[in-house]
Amino acid sequence: MSIVQLVDVHKTYPLGKTEVQAVKGVTFTIEKGDFVSIAGPSGSGKSTILNMIGCIDTATSGQVLINDVDTAGLTDRQITKLRHEVLGFIFQSFNLIPVLSVFENVEFPLLLGKDAPSRSERYRWVEFLIEDVGLSKWKDHKPNELSGGQRQRVAIARALATKPSIVMADEPTANLDSVTSQAIIELMKKMNRELETTFIFSTHDPDIIEIADHVIKLHDGQVLEDYKTDEVERGLGALTQDKEMA
Ligand code: ADP
Ligand code: MG
């Protein structure tokens, strides 16, 4: 089942008297439960695409569908609801609240929703998430007492708190060393398997691109390659593209 679909999406930004074509006719489908990397060099359009999927920005033309609904047709209220109930976000700069403990940071999104879970349910779920990302010992600490990798673990738990069906992460490892980067992507993959959450992360780091099971490579605002890594292992290669050409 497709959870995110882009159909011939273009995005143009005005730049003085001219314009920048950031995304030029991008089409791809992400299935529910996929673990996707949007890969490409700086300026290739990764953030623009993630921002359109996250409803932070809108396409100039083409369609961005979430759960088969064209996001262009949604009201501001529906977008707010979608962002709160369907989407979770992880940022390269972690964006934790410095005065709150690890536990409180993860709990925070659960205090905002209308149908917030009961206190005991909330505690159980937050404890579970913190344990799952390996931070039980740190739950009463503040973000500035943690390493970058540990902060990103908190951000992963926080993004999952509201049980979103899609977690978006724009270059989540940009501020981490290579060993920590791999560990963070592996943790996201573990959470993807356990909770069946769809993850979409962007990166320009070749070492972590292939940890994903679905790779969408961009170049200059266009899709260069779109393939499933398990199919590469089985020797099937870039299925999507072959199918389109057939
Ligand atoms: P990436 O995330 O892969 O580095 P971006 O999506 O940020 O790429 O940018 C794609 C292109 O669009 C780049 O040429 C960038 O300079 C341009 N761009 C991105 N955002 C804006 C903006 N707000 N105004 C003008 N140009 C932009
Ligand atoms: Mg970017």
Side-chain angles (χ1 to χ4, degrees), residues 15-195:
L15 188 74
K17 284 179 185 161
T18 61
E19 49 186 32
V20 183
Q21 287 188 294
V23 173
K24 304 181 235 180
V26 163
T27 296
F28 60 71
T29 300
I30 292 172
E31 306 289 331
K32 190 169 165 14
D34 269 3
F35 188 67
V36 187
S37 69
I38 308 270
S42 175
S44 58
K46 302 182 297 296
S47 296
T48 305
I49 286 176
L50 287 180
N51 289 344
M52 290 188 287
I53 299 170
C55 299
I56 294 163
D57 208 346
T58 55
T60 309
S61 68
Q63 291 172 295
V64 178
L65 299 108
I66 297 184
N67 289 323
D68 298 321
V69 175
D70 189 344
T71 53
L74 300 177
T75 61
D76 285 353
R77 207 195 176 113
Q78 286 170 319
I79 285 174
T80 306
K81 195 169 144 72
L82 182 83
R83 284 173 52 82
H84 188 73
E85 293 175 6
V86 178
L87 302 168
F89 294 88
I90 295 167
F91 305 90
Q92 71 178 51
S93 50
F94 321 127
N95 288 18
L96 302 175
I97 302 173
V99 295
L100 300 183
S101 68
V102 166
F103 185 96
E104 291 163 339
N105 265 283
V106 177
E107 181 191 34
F108 189 69
L110 294 171
L111 305 174
L112 303 174
K114 247 192 272 159
D115 31 37
S118 71
R119 192 160 184 263
S120 62
E121 246 179 284
R122 198 169 73 224
Y123 266 61
R124 236 178 298 129
W125 175 234
V126 172
E127 294 266 358
F128 169 82
L129 285 172
I130 290 174
E131 160 122 47
D132 223 7
V133 300
L135 288 178
S136 291
K137 275 201 289 196
W138 297 90
K139 71 178 169 147
D140 297 321
H141 289 252
K142 300 270 162 63
N144 68 2
E145 298 166 320
L146 307 178
S147 68
Q150 288 172 323
R151 288 181 206 192
Q152 203 55 308
R153 286 170 185 271
V154 180
I156 291 169
R158 180 188 56 183
L160 291 164
T162 54
K163 303 185 179 168
S165 40
I166 308 168
V167 169
M168 321 266 308
D170 194 1
E171 305 224 28
T173 62
N175 289 323
L176 304 173
D177 64 72
S178 65
V179 172
T180 309
S181 294
Q182 298 220 8
I184 286 297
I185 302 298
E186 294 289 358
L187 173 64
M188 283 169 37
K189 192 169 193 167
K190 179 183 100 145
M191 302 310 271
N192 154 262
R193 295 284 138 84
E194 266 181 35
L195 305 172

